[in-house]
């Protein structure tokens, strides 16, 4: 065991995968010599050579498109989109090509690739360095979408994603790269190294895709969240005094409905929390599933707390995405419903 | 055909381009062929693109080492001493402004900053070739367009500090300025998207029978984006009245220009396959930039279609305040850059003309610094990122649509506004 930041854990996962399997290749903008703008790939080129870890032209469509070709050939590309906001130029390749290759070729060609992208706000990144486009990706059949919330999961999930036979979107909440975040931006950052989830097993292990985890046991309500918002949820539960259960989804697709239903059936109340905009967000999917599966156990309508339906505003990011106060208030209202 | 004989065809291997030197190495620009100032010909603006292909592979230069303006591009310039002095002042202003804002970022008065060090001539000179009503579609390293267009420094600073007077209402990343009135289209953080929009804007001007032209801006790294190629296709197909500008400052964050350029001789050469006249110019030579910008703008205005211009320059600073260039290139590389410093070069020219001196330069520096410090004091008195007055968060719900739809109104109430 070693204590690591999420950046180090991701790098460690790539190192383990590249060391074990010569077909794993890593590329993207600034990924090679420099090791990526967040340094997730630092040192990999020096260790594995520049044909296994290299810089690409600034062309996201090209990065994903080339990755698809390599995956179809038999390699396992792990590509980096510098910020999730820049996956839009690659969207056609992701949606029309990567996601459907297996289906349309009747299984003759497959696309076992991983598309990594730092996601989410909270670092004053403004409109084009802060978005959470997961709903655009979970809406696409043929993709799997993963959002870790801590270093230990990040490494295990990334290794599982690399070994997965299908294209996996791996969204890295950049607010969590260096430490957990409880939504109180005015407090000093606590490092992962002082946190139990910063303890990352050495060598190879996986955290299976499609398995959620209960981060806090509770009886009065269930909070469903993922990524950065898991930590906000935990802070909000403390602040609200409501004995809520907090579930970290870890994988948005496939979704662990079993864990969710067990919890909501127990608590009878459900709050869905994400930082992406509300309307047609991933929370809508969760709310629909919960009401379909748990309708007779529900004692209150499912509530959603999410980012407002505006573009991400640079200065007002702390008013924009849900902080513990907003979530706590929603929790209190949720349990007050008779 | 049969499977190739493996004895005759050994296994393939991937080529990944690498810069010639990395940190610790000795920078060497001897391979950069730099023609003497004044030696490159100046064709007529209606020249056949086929006949001027060579201009995509050379470097048009005006100012020689003695500070004289020489050759055909200098002769066509027709510039007054006042204009020359104004040009120098714009560049000096941009440099001092950059230094102050960089410092402000280090003091956490803003979240982020991007400077222009070494690239001042390009945007400052180019703006002088435009007329009121023309539109730039800039990226984040062209604040000189605003300075040369007379946009108030205090407005720029208010944007950097996201304070209550920020013209972008705290919504945009610092340096993402926007001024319709000053011909400066709102900057997107997504690279290259605006290159094709500039072409669309120019097409609209032509469709409307207007007289306005547009200018598209992109970095060398970003020319790899598909939108760059979309812009070339549309510009050449419709002969749009647009100047397509590529700022080749050698680096895209940590990635050297060879990664985006691949096997092409130059970035300017990208235009040739589209039949677009393509010129390469010394981006550290204010007069060369101005001369070429005027030539290209004249072509656009005469409905002769697009021009592609590559400015050869060097990013002497970091990519942004989040970047550490010493991790990927030798520290001495910027001083080894053979095209010199744009401000020094114009300064020497003005001294050679007898209209400037070291003393006046120092005096001007002090004046500009005082002016900028004064503007900064006023801006900071309104507010900086974490202190003072900011635009109301209620405003973040405005302008999503022309009229606020009910669901957004509901959210605004929920947010407490
Ligand atoms: C679509 C997109 N992809 C990636 C980025 C991240 N990014 C911002 S600046 C930059 C490098 C740009 O280099 P270049 O075009 O050469 O311009 P320069 O910064 O050198 O002026 C990158 C990769 C982005 N902003 N947008």
């Amino acid at each position: 065991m070693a204590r690591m930041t999420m950046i180090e854990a991701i790098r460690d996962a790539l190192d383990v995968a590249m060391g074990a399997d010569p077909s794993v290749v890593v590329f993207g903008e600034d990924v090679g010599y420099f090791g990526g703008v967040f340094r997730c790939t630092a040192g990999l080129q020096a260790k594995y050579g520049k044909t296994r870890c290299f810089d690409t032209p600034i062309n996201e469509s090209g990065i994903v498109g080339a990755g698809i070709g390599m995956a179809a050939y038999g390699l396992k590309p792990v590509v980096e989109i510098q910020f999730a906001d820049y996956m839009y130029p690659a969207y056609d390749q992701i949606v029309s090509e990567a996601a459907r290759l297996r289906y349309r070729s009747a299984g003759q060609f497959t696309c076992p690739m991983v598309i990594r992208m730092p996601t989410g706000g909270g670092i004053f990144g403004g409109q084009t360095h802060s978005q959470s486009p997961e709903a655009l990706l979970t809406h696409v059949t043929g993709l799997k979408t993963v959002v870790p919330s801590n270093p230990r999961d990040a490494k295990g999930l990334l290794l599982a994603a690399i070994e997965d036979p299908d294209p996996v979107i791996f969204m890295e909440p950049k607010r969590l790269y260096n430490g957990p975040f409880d939504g109180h931006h005015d407090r000093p950052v606590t490092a992962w190294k002082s946190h139990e989830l910063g303890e990352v097993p050495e060598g190879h292990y996986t955290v299976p895709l499609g398995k959620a985890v209960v981060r806090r046991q509770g009886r009065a309500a269930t909070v469903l969240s993922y990524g950065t918002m898991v930590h906000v949820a935990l802070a909000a539960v403390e602040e609200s005094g409501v004995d809520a259960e907090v579930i970290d989804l870890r994988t948005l697709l496939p979704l662990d409905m079993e864990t969710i239903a067990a919890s909501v059936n127990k608590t009878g109340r459900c709050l869905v929390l994400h930082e992406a905009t509300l309307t047609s967000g991933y929370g809508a999917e969760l709310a629909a599933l919960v009401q379909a599966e748990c309708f007779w156990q529900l004692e209150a309508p499912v509530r959603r707390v999410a980012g407002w339906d505006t573009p991400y505003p640079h200065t007002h990011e702390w008013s924009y995405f849900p902080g513990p106060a907003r979530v706590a208030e929603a929790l209190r209202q949720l349990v007050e419903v008779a | 055909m049969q499977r190739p004989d493996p004895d005759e065809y050994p296994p393939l291997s991937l080529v990944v381009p690498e810069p010639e030197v990395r940190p610790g190495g000795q920078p060497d620009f001897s391979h950069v062929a730099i023609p003497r100032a004044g030696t490159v010909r100046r064709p007529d603006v209606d020249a056949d693109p086929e006949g001027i292909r060579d201009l995509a592979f050379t470097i048009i230069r005006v100012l020689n080492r003695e500070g004289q303006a020489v050759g055909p591009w200098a002769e066509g310039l027709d510039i007054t001493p006042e204009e020359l002095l104004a040009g120098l002042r714009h560049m000096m202003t941009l440099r001092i402004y950059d230094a102050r804002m960089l410092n402000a970022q280090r003091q956490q008065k803003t979240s982020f900053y991007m400077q222009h060090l070494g690239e001042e001539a390009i945007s400052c000179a180019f703006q002088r070739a435009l007329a009121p009503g023309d539109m730039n579609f800039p990226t984040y390293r062209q604040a000189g367009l605003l300075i040369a267009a007379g946009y108030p420094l205090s407005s720029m600073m208010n944007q950097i500090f996201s304070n209550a007077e920020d013209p972008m209402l705290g919504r945009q990343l610092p340096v993402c300025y926007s001024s319709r009135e000053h011909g400066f289209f709102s900057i997107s953080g997504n690279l290259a998207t605006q290159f094709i929009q500039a072409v669309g804007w120019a097409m609209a001007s032509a469709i409307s029978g207007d007289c306005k032209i547009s200018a598209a801006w992109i970095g060398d790294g970003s020319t790899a984006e598909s939108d760059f190629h979309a812009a070339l296709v549309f510009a050449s197909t419709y002969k749009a009245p647009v100047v397509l500008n590529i700022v080749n400052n050698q680096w895209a964050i940590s990635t050297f220009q060879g990664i985006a350029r691949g096997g092409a001789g130059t970035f300017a050469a990208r235009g040739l396959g589209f039949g677009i006249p393509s010129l390469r110019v010394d981006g550290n030579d204010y007069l060369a930039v101005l001369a070429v910008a005027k030539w290209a703008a004249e072509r656009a205005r005469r409905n002769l279609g697009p021009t592609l211009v590559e400015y050869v320059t060097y990013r002497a600073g970091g990519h942004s305040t989040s970047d550490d260039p010493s991790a990927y290139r030798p520290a001495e590389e910027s001083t080894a850059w053979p095209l010199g410093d744009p401000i020094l070069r114009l300064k020497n020219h003005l001294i050679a003309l007898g209209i400037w001196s070291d003393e006046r330069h120092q005096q001007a520096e002090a004046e500009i610094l005082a002016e900028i410090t004064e503007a900064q004091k006023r801006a900071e008195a309104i507010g900086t990122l974490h202190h003072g007055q900011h635009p109301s968060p209620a405003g973040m719900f405005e302008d999503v649509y022309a009229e606020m739809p009910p669901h957004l109104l509901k959210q605004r109430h929920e947010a407490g506004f």
Side-chain angles (χ1 to χ4, degrees):
Chain A
M1 290 276 194
R3 291 193 180 264
M4 292 185 190
T5 64
M6 195 189 278
I7 293 173
E8 290 162 342
I10 288 164
R11 186 187 307 145
D12 193 30
L14 293 170
D15 191 3
V16 168
M18 292 176 89
D21 182 352
S23 66
V24 176
V25 290
V26 169
F27 57 95
E29 293 157 23
D30 298 295
V31 160
Y33 183 84
F34 186 58
V37 290
F38 289 103
R39 317 310 309 276
C40 288
T41 57
L44 297 178
Q45 182 175 75
K47 188 162 175 185
Y48 296 103
K50 62 179 189 176
T51 61
R52 288 191 61 203
C53 176
F54 53 90
D55 290 326
T56 63
I58 304 173
N59 187 314
E60 291 75 13
S61 175
I63 293 168
V64 174
I68 295 169
M70 290 184 201
Y73 176 89
L75 295 187
K76 288 191 182 136
V78 184
V79 305
E80 178 176 299
I81 301 292
Q82 204 157 75
F83 283 85
D85 313 64
Y86 307 138
M87 69 107 185
Y88 304 118
Y91 199 54
D92 186 44
Q93 287 288 346
I94 296 174
V95 175
S96 315
E97 309 302 325
R100 293 193 208 148
L101 188 57
R102 177 187 295 278
Y103 191 78
R104 73 175 188 221
S105 69
Q108 286 181 37
F109 293 100
T110 62
C111 188
M113 79 187 292
V114 178
I115 306 175
R116 295 179 39 239
M117 48 180 87
T119 182
I123 60 154
F124 283 109
Q127 313 195 2
T128 53
H129 299 80
S130 306
Q131 293 166 72
S132 303
E134 61 271 18
L136 295 174
L137 294 157
T138 54
H139 190 59
V140 179
T141 43
L143 300 178
K144 297 180 179 173
T145 299
V146 180
V147 192
S149 70
N150 62 68
R152 183 201 293 254
D153 279 2
K155 179 177 170 186
L157 287 165
L158 183 52
L159 281 166
I162 293 169
E163 288 159 21
D164 196 274
D166 286 310
V168 180
I169 308 289
F170 196 81
M171 306 182 88
E172 300 164 7
K174 56 182 143 346
R175 187 62 185 75
L176 302 182
Y177 268 157
N178 291 305
F181 171 62
D182 64 3
H184 292 284
H185 62 277
D186 40 355
R187 287 189 201 152
V189 179
T190 53
W192 278 117
K193 312 224 169 185
S194 61
H195 195 286
E196 57 173 318
L197 294 169
E199 205 156 275
V200 175
E202 265 151 52
H204 179 273
Y205 71 100
T206 57
V207 172
L209 306 187
K211 277 260 151 256
V213 63
V214 178
R215 290 276 174 231
R216 182 194 188 279
Q217 305 275 351
R219 312 222 110 256
T222 299
V223 183
L224 303 180
S225 62
Y226 49 92
T228 307
M229 287 296 133
V230 171
H231 305 270
V232 174
L234 291 168
V237 168
E238 293 311 314
E239 198 168 315
S240 68
V242 174
D243 179 28
E245 187 142 301
V246 175
I247 295 184
D248 177 353
L249 298 177
R250 300 202 284 205
T251 310
L252 305 187
L253 202 130
L255 182 67
D256 181 359
M257 202 52 211
E258 215 175 302
T259 301
I260 295 172
S263 175
V264 178
N265 285 335
K266 179 178 77 177
T267 64
R269 294 167 206 262
C270 179
L271 183 130
V272 175
L273 171 63
H274 59 61
E275 60 172 298
T277 50
L278 180 78
T279 301
S280 299
Y282 187 68
E285 178 65 28
L286 290 173
L289 287 170
V290 166
Q291 76 83 29
E293 298 257 328
C294 312
F295 185 76
W296 303 107
Q297 269 66 45
L298 282 177
E299 290 176 41
V302 179
R303 276 188 86 98
R304 286 186 290 162
V305 179
W308 308 118
D309 284 337
T310 73
Y312 210 102
H314 171 255
T315 319
H316 299 307
E317 55 178 26
W318 307 118
S319 320
Y320 170 78
F321 69 66
R326 232 170 98 199
V327 181
E329 177 60 21
L331 264 179
R332 280 191 291 261
Q333 287 176 11
L334 180 69
V335 293
E336 270 162 24
V337 178
Chain B
M1 187 182 157
Q2 289 185 333
R3 249 173 225 282
D5 173 2
D7 289 335
E8 211 176 316
Y9 296 94
L12 301 163
S13 63
L14 185 70
V15 176
V16 181
E18 271 293 319
E20 316 223 317
V21 283
R22 285 297 192 183
Q26 222 19 61
D28 175 16
F29 287 110
S30 56
H31 61 284
V32 184
I34 299 172
R36 274 194 308 117
T39 55
V40 178
R41 70 202 169 100
R42 181 185 185 280
D44 291 335
V45 289
D46 60 356
D48 174 15
E50 274 304 305
I52 58 170
R53 291 173 70 93
D54 54 314
L55 297 189
F57 298 96
T58 177
I59 301 182
I60 296 166
R61 305 177 67 231
V62 164
L63 289 171
N64 68 15
R65 235 178 286 168
E66 282 71 50
Q68 294 152 331
V70 292
W73 289 91
E75 283 148 31
L77 247 180
D78 175 29
I79 187 167
T80 66
E82 291 71 36
E83 288 173 301
L84 286 172
L85 291 169
L88 182 67
R89 197 168 182 99
H90 295 148
M91 290 198 286
M92 292 170 74
T93 303
L94 180 54
R95 185 165 294 182
I96 295 171
Y97 173 83
D98 269 347
R100 298 290 302 193
M101 294 300 105
L102 202 63
N103 209 28
Q105 193 275 340
R106 301 227 165 94
Q107 298 168 337
Q108 298 186 353
K109 291 171 179 169
T110 179
S111 56
F112 177 81
Y113 191 73
M114 296 181 98
Q115 58 170 342
H116 305 72
L117 194 64
E119 301 179 38
E120 292 90 347
I122 299 163
S123 52
C124 289
F126 188 88
Q127 181 62 35
R128 306 295 279 181
L130 294 184
D134 295 342
M135 188 62 72
N136 284 295
F137 287 74
T139 76
Y140 43 71
R141 234 183 282 282
Q142 278 89 43
L145 297 171
L146 282 172
I147 288 178
Y151 187 67
L153 288 171
S154 56
S155 302
M156 291 170 66
M157 287 177 188
N158 292 335
Q159 207 272 320
I160 299 293
F161 294 137
S162 298
N163 66 25
E165 299 290 320
D166 170 6
M168 299 312 118
L169 309 174
R171 292 174 187 162
Q172 267 282 44
L173 207 60
V175 315
C176 289
Y177 314 100
S178 169
S179 173
R180 190 187 175 115
E181 196 189 328
H182 294 82
F184 197 93
F185 191 77
S186 161
I187 297 177
S188 170
N190 287 52
L191 296 171
T193 48
Q194 296 178 284
F195 214 66
I196 174 68
Q197 294 163 13
V199 176
W201 197 96
M203 288 167 64
S205 179
I207 290 169
S208 312
D210 208 337
C211 300
K212 298 169 190 164
I213 63 168
S214 71
W217 293 89
I218 201 164
D220 51 293
S222 308
T223 60
E225 286 283 6
S226 309
D227 285 342
F228 169 77
H229 300 88
L232 295 194
V233 172
F234 274 67
S236 79
T237 297
Y238 300 107
K239 301 269 176 287
V242 59
V243 184
L244 303 162
N245 296 302
I246 303 171
V247 180
N248 176 4
N249 65 8
Q250 313 298 317
W251 291 92
I253 312 189
S254 75
T255 305
F256 88 117
Q257 55 144 334
I259 286 280
R261 201 190 60 234
T266 64
F267 287 97
R270 293 262 190 250
L272 296 181
F274 294 87
I276 298 175
S278 304
L279 286 65
R280 220 160 160 253
V281 54
D282 177 348
N284 290 19
D285 179 343
Y286 184 92
L287 293 183
V289 172
L290 183 60
V292 169
K294 284 187 164 176
W295 188 90
E298 176 75 8
R299 269 181 48 78
R301 260 185 244 293
R302 295 204 178 282
N303 214 30
L304 294 164
T307 306
L308 184 82
V309 185
E310 173 186 346
Y311 304 90
V312 182
T313 183
Y314 186 87
R315 165 162 68 67
H319 169 77
S320 73
T321 44
S322 315
D323 179 41
D324 170 18
S326 70
Y328 52 80
R329 66 187 191 190
E332 318 78 45
E333 196 178 272
S334 75
T335 34
W337 177 245
L339 291 176
D341 178 89
I343 294 183
L344 263 183
R345 284 176 68 189
L346 187 61
K347 174 191 166 193
N348 290 341
H349 175 58
L350 299 187
I351 292 176
L353 286 182
I355 58 172
W356 199 241
S357 65
D358 277 319
E359 296 73 53
R360 287 178 70 182
H361 194 83
Q362 274 175 11
Q363 197 186 338
E365 246 166 10
E367 273 168 31
I368 295 167
L369 179 61
E371 188 192 331
I372 288 177
T373 312
E374 180 54 33
Q376 190 178 353
K377 274 203 194 115
R378 270 183 281 127
E380 288 188 9
I382 302 167
T384 57
L385 183 61
H386 299 295
H387 299 283
Q389 286 180 292
H390 298 112
S392 161
M396 76 185 176
F397 294 92
E398 310 278 344
D399 295 323
V400 183
Y401 301 97
E403 215 171 295
M404 199 177 296
H407 75 281
L408 213 50
L409 196 62
K410 186 165 160 266
Q411 289 184 17
R412 197 181 74 178
H413 290 324
E414 212 181 305
F417 307 111

